[in-house]
Amino acid sequence: MSDSSSRPPEQPLPAYTGAAAPFGGGDPYADYRTADLPFLHHPDLAARELGAAVIAANDEFFAERENLLNPGPAEFDPARFGHKGKVMDGWETRRRRGPDAEHPHPTADDHDWALIRLGSPGTVHGIVVDTAHFRGNHPRAVSVEATAVTGCPTPTELLADGVDWTELVPLTPVGGHAANAFRVRPLPHVERRFTHLRLRQYPDGGIARLRVYGEVVPDPAWLGALGTFDVVALEHGGRIEDASDRFYSPPDHTIRPGRSRKMDDGWETRRRRDDGHDWIRYRLVEQAEVRAVEIDTAYLKGNSAGWAELFVQDAPDGPWTVLLPRTRLQPDTNHRFVLAHAMVGRRVRLDIHPDGGISRLRLHGTLTTDGAARLLACHRETGG
């Protein structure tokens, strides 16, 4: 759980409204409206790779709801049309109409909706409703609500009376062909853990992507049942605190689920021309005993790190202790190491020499008694 007292003063986020100019050829993103956003360092809790899904929508006439969570930016082919019209890389509903000729326009309350299951439940810090390439067919306004439901509820169960929905984004005008960003402020004195979102668009239109940035809050009962698990994995609540270099691909790739499937699905640094080295600092899900390590260089063949070493830290200002001594790495190889003794800590630092990259880091271990107790307290404080 983040400490709100340590956050820097908030700067207002850019707001976009109205339509964008029709596509005039060339780079379709040339006039895309966006800005640097303060919450992008958090993982996307709605990433498909974490298991997120758009489980229902009331309408998807022009473009399927599943496109909302596609990885990467939305694509645009101006010449691509289908039997229902222009093919768009997003979720697009039909045009709403009023009840009769005397009232042809939809009412202020008319809207379309989609239900999203987060890949990893957690606290939400920021949301992006991206209308890329929806220049004049975007919604007038959007809102986002969230709830926490145990198990695997059906859409009918989520929409039933008695489900407690919390407003994360109030009804807000949005712009076309823009990254419409919203900062999510915690409820008074507490951050809440959520499992599902309801996205509404008023009255209709298209949205290219939905991104939900936050912090994973894992289920202590599940991790306890697993026993030994990857204590730095993103899906379990591990995260990146900092890194020396993010030139070719970001360090958070190293704790994603699954194995890398291509070169840029790992972490790769620029070529060093000095005597230094590159590094990533990780925060484990909680204090843990690490017993085994995997360092994978899959698809990094002429650019893998030459050597790697790992250090563990327990207290915030405590010393860094060698977890794995400097070890030669091979290209395109998953290296496995069983430690002679379990090492206890809350942070781990990976140093690579001199530069290059790795695709994945796995730290297999178990929570300590203190770590498990703190994780359980966090789960309860956030409504779990």
Side-chain angles (χ1 to χ4, degrees):
M1 229 171 94
S2 60
D3 180 6
S4 59
S5 65
S6 64
R7 294 175 185 164
E10 292 184 349
Q11 299 297 320
L13 299 181
Y16 308 107
T17 57
F23 177 61
D27 178 7
Y29 274 103
D31 60 340
Y32 176 64
R33 296 180 283 180
T34 188
D36 290 333
L37 301 173
F39 44 71
L40 297 186
H41 61 286
H42 291 295
D44 178 10
L45 303 181
R48 279 290 298 166
E49 64 186 359
L50 289 178
V54 186
I55 62 174
N58 71 305
D59 185 291
E60 46 188 327
F61 185 86
F62 285 114
E64 295 82 3
R65 65 182 191 263
E66 288 86 358
N67 292 336
L68 279 172
L69 306 187
N70 282 347
E75 299 179 355
F76 180 71
D77 181 352
R80 189 181 179 196
F81 287 82
H83 293 295
K84 293 183 179 180
K86 182 74 186 72
V87 176
M88 297 294 290
D89 184 9
W91 170 50
E92 185 179 7
T93 65
R94 72 193 79 202
R95 300 189 188 213
R96 281 184 172 269
R97 297 290 184 251
D100 52 48
E102 297 299 320
H103 306 89
H105 301 288
T107 70
D109 292 331
D110 283 344
H111 65 275
D112 294 316
W113 54 264
L115 293 176
I116 297 94
R117 182 189 66 236
L118 298 180
S120 291
T123 58
V124 179
H125 297 307
I127 292 174
V128 176
V129 178
D130 188 349
T131 57
H133 315 305
F134 290 96
R135 295 170 173 270
N137 50 348
H138 60 286
R140 172 182 56 82
V142 301
S143 66
V144 181
E145 300 163 289
T147 190
V149 181
T150 58
C152 302
T154 66
T156 300
E157 291 169 334
L158 285 171
L159 297 174
D161 294 339
V163 176
D164 180 24
W165 289 92
T166 299
E167 183 181 80
L168 301 186
V169 177
L171 182 61
T172 306
V174 294
H177 197 45
N180 299 278
F182 306 93
R183 182 184 280 112
V184 177
R185 291 175 170 80
L187 299 174
H189 311 301
V190 68
E191 290 179 318
R192 289 280 305 278
R193 173 184 183 269
F194 297 112
T195 61
H196 294 78
L197 300 186
R198 178 163 56 191
L199 169 66
R200 302 181 196 247
Q201 58 171 342
Y202 296 78
D204 53 38
I207 297 170
R209 297 288 188 268
L210 176 71
R211 305 300 188 213
V212 184
Y213 297 98
E215 296 181 59
V216 175
V217 180
D219 182 354
W222 175 251
L223 297 184
L226 292 179
T228 298
F229 62 96
D230 183 0
V231 297
V232 76
L234 175 62
E235 61 190 310
H236 295 150
R239 61 184 183 270
I240 303 295
E241 288 193 331
D242 203 358
S244 62
D245 188 288
R246 304 165 186 259
F247 191 83
Y248 285 113
S249 45
D252 63 281
H253 285 184
T254 61
I255 55 175
R256 284 180 170 182
R259 296 197 69 194
S260 173
R261 286 182 262 183
K262 52 194 176 76
M263 188 173 73
D264 67 350
D265 192 20
W267 172 58
E268 183 186 359
T269 71
R270 74 191 81 196
R271 300 189 189 210
R272 278 193 170 268
R273 301 303 187 221
D274 57 23
D275 295 330
H277 68 277
D278 290 312
W279 52 268
I280 305 174
R281 189 173 72 244
Y282 301 88
R283 178 70 178 263
L284 308 186
V285 56
E286 246 302 342
Q287 186 188 60
E289 296 181 352
V290 181
R291 295 185 172 86
V293 172
E294 291 183 71
I295 301 176
D296 196 352
T297 58
Y299 292 95
L300 295 163
K301 298 182 178 180
N303 51 353
S304 67
W307 290 262
E309 55 189 334
L310 289 167
F311 301 87
V312 63
Q313 182 192 54
D314 194 17
D317 298 322
W320 288 93
T321 304
V322 175
L323 179 70
L324 181 74
R326 191 175 301 187
T327 302
R328 188 74 166 94
L329 299 182
Q330 299 300 317
D332 196 27
T333 300
N334 190 28
H335 309 75
R336 291 178 171 174
F337 309 95
V338 177
L339 305 181
H341 305 285
M343 302 289 289
V344 175
R346 300 182 70 177
R347 289 180 173 85
V348 164
R349 192 183 77 232
L350 167 73
D351 289 4
I352 62 170
H353 299 268
D355 55 27
I358 68 165
S359 60
R360 295 290 188 271
L361 174 69
R362 306 297 187 212
L363 302 176
H364 302 287
T366 57
L367 296 179
T368 64
T369 301
D370 289 345
R374 282 191 294 265
L375 189 64
L376 178 60
C378 176
H379 190 256
R380 289 173 175 169
E381 288 171 5
T382 56

